[in-house]
C-alpha cells in the first residue's frame, strides 16, 4: 500500500489483504444468503468497513474508484473489487473476526526468479530511467527475486502505467501479490509531481516492493517479518519520499527472509 502518502503531503493526503519529505454502516437487509448484496452501494460499504477494520484504519481513508472497480488503501495500494470480495468471503467462511486478522499473500517460489515488467504507458525519460534503476536495485538485493524489463506485455507479470494527472491524485499506487502467488499486477505513476531523479528511483523501488508483498515499515499494517524491528527509519519501505540511499540492513534481511 507510499502513503503520500505516496500522495505528496502538499495538504492532499487523500495491502491489505496477495513506493525534504513528500510525501477503504451499511443498511441491514434480509437475504437468503449472507454473500448476496442488494446493491453494489451496500456491498462497497460493507467491504470498506471490512478493509478498514482489517488494516486498523478509518473508512474515510479507504477510497473506492467506481470507474476502475478498485479500492485505494493507505494512499498507494490498489485492491481490485474481486480481491476484496474474496478476502471478505474467506474470513466469513473461517468465522474470523475481521478486526483480528487479515490475509497475507506473497509471491510463489515458481515466479520470484523470473518477474517480467512491462511499461504499458511510458512517461518522461527520467521516470523510465528510474524503472531501470529500480529493477537493478531489486536484482542486487541478494534475495530470490529477479526482475527484468520485457518488451511483450503478454509475458509480463507487472504493468507500469505513467500518466500526467493534474488532479491531486497519489504520486504512485501499486497492488499487492495475488492469492495465486503472482506479483501485484499494476503500478501507476502520476508524473505531475516534481521529483529529483534520486527520488524517482526511490519511488519505483518502493512501489515494486508493494508488488512483491512488502508493506510500509513505519505503519502497523502487515505481519512483522522475523528478525526485523517494528520500525526502521532508513527503510526503503517507509511511506515517505526521500532521495535514494540504498536498502537498509533490515530491508535486506526482510527480503531474504521472505524470498530466500
Amino acid at each position: 500500500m507510499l502513503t503520500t502518502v505516496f500522495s505528496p503531503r502538499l495538504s492532499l493526503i487523500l495491502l491489505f489483504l496477495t513506493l525534504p519529505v513528500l510525501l477503504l454502516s451499511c443498511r441491514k437487509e434480509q437475504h437468503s444468503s449472507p454473500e448476496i448484496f442488494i446493491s453494489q452501494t451496500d456491498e462497497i460499504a460493507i467491504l470498506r468497513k471490512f478493509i478498514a477494520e482489517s488494516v486498523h484504519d478509518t473508512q474515510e481513508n479507504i477510497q473506492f474508484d467506481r470507474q476502475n472497480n478498485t479500492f485505494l488503501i493507505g494512499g498507494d495500494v490498489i485492491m481490485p473489487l474481486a480481491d476484496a470480495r474474496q478476502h471478505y468471503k474467506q474470513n466469513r467462511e473461517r468465522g474470523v473476526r475481521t478486526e483480528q486478522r487479515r490475509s497475507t499473500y506473497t509471491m510463489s517460489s515458481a515466479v520470484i526468479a523470473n518477474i517480467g515488467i512491462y511499461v504499458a504507458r511510458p512517461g518522461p525519460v527520467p521516470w523510465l530511467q528510474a524503472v531501470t534503476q529500480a529493477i537493478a536495485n531489486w536484482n542486487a538485493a541478494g534475495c530470490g527475486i529477479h526482475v527484468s524489463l520485457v518488451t511483450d506485455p503478454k509475458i509480463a507479470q507487472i504493468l507500469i502505467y505513467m500518466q500526467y494527472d493534474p488532479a491531486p491524485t497519489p504520486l504512485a499506487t501499486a497492488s499487492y501479490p495475488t492469492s495465486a502467488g503472482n506479483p501485484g499486477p499494476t503500478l501507476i505513476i502520476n508524473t505531475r509531481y516534481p521529483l529529483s531523479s534520486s527520488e524517482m528511483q526511490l519511488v519505483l523501488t518502493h512501489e515494486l516492493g508493494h508488488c512483491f508483498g512488502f508493506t510500509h515499515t513505519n505503519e502497523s499494517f502487515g505481519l512483522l517479518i522475523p528478525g526485523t524491528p517494528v520500525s526502521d527509519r532508513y527503510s526503503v519501505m517507509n511511506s515517505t519520499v526521500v532521495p535514494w540511499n540504498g536498502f537498509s540492513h533490515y530491508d535486506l534481511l526482510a527480503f531474504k527472509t521472505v524470498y530466500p
Side-chain angles (χ1 to χ4, degrees):
M1 235 175 332
L2 294 173
T3 302
T4 320
V5 193
F6 254 43
S7 337
R9 187 174 287 181
L10 304 175
S11 67
L12 45 90
I13 298 179
L14 297 168
L15 106 115
F16 156 62
L17 315 180
T18 63
L19 196 164
V21 177
L22 295 174
L23 283 132
L24 174 325
S25 87
C26 59
R27 299 193 309 271
K28 293 183 178 180
E29 307 286 353
Q30 298 298 319
H31 304 297
S32 58
S33 168
E35 306 304 333
I36 298 175
F37 298 91
I38 282 291
S39 67
Q40 188 184 55
T41 298
D42 288 338
E43 179 185 26
I44 299 307
I46 291 172
L47 293 176
R48 286 183 68 226
K49 182 175 185 294
F50 164 66
I51 296 173
E53 291 175 343
S54 298
V55 303
H56 306 292
D57 205 343
T58 64
Q59 296 184 51
E60 290 73 18
N61 289 335
I62 312 300
Q63 307 297 321
F64 182 69
D65 183 342
R66 293 188 178 277
Q67 181 177 355
N68 297 309
N69 275 340
T70 57
F71 289 96
L72 179 63
I73 307 169
D76 73 328
V77 173
I78 304 168
M79 175 175 289
L81 176 59
D83 285 3
R85 286 170 172 160
Q86 182 179 21
H87 287 302
Y88 179 77
K89 180 175 183 295
Q90 288 176 340
N91 275 270
R92 286 176 63 88
E93 288 175 345
R94 294 170 185 161
V96 178
R97 294 177 59 189
T98 59
E99 65 269 28
Q100 295 179 336
R101 297 183 55 132
R102 70 171 181 83
S103 297
T104 301
Y105 299 130
T106 55
M107 298 183 294
S108 70
S109 58
V111 304
I112 62 172
N114 188 26
I115 302 171
I117 295 178
Y118 178 76
V119 181
R121 186 181 300 150
V125 171
W127 278 110
L128 294 176
Q129 293 173 336
V131 172
T132 301
Q133 293 164 340
I135 289 174
N137 292 340
W138 279 102
N139 286 339
C143 61
I145 294 175
H146 184 271
V147 196
S148 61
L149 199 60
V150 300
T151 58
D152 184 356
K154 294 180 181 179
I155 63 173
Q157 287 79 40
I158 301 174
L159 299 180
I160 296 179
Y161 298 86
M162 298 181 183
Q163 58 192 31
Y164 182 92
D165 188 346
T169 57
L171 164 59
T173 57
S175 48
Y176 283 139
T178 69
S179 59
N182 294 314
T186 306
L187 195 165
I188 302 173
I189 297 292
N190 184 353
T191 61
R192 77 182 290 264
Y193 299 104
L195 301 181
S196 68
S197 59
S198 183
E199 290 169 331
M200 293 179 188
Q201 181 179 174
L202 183 282
V203 171
L204 263 301
T205 304
H206 173 104
E207 294 301 328
L208 283 178
H210 285 321
C211 292
F212 301 154
F214 297 102
T215 63
H216 290 153
T217 307
N218 60 334
E219 297 178 1
S220 61
F221 168 60
L223 301 176
L224 182 63
I225 298 171
T228 61
V230 294
S231 65
D232 175 6
R233 63 180 297 186
Y234 302 110
S235 175
V236 166
M237 295 311 297
N238 283 332
S239 60
T240 56
V241 181
V242 296
W244 169 255
N245 193 36
F247 293 118
S248 74
H249 168 75
Y250 289 112
D251 281 336
L252 297 176
L253 177 59
F255 303 157
K256 293 175 184 178
T257 299
V258 178
Y259 300 113

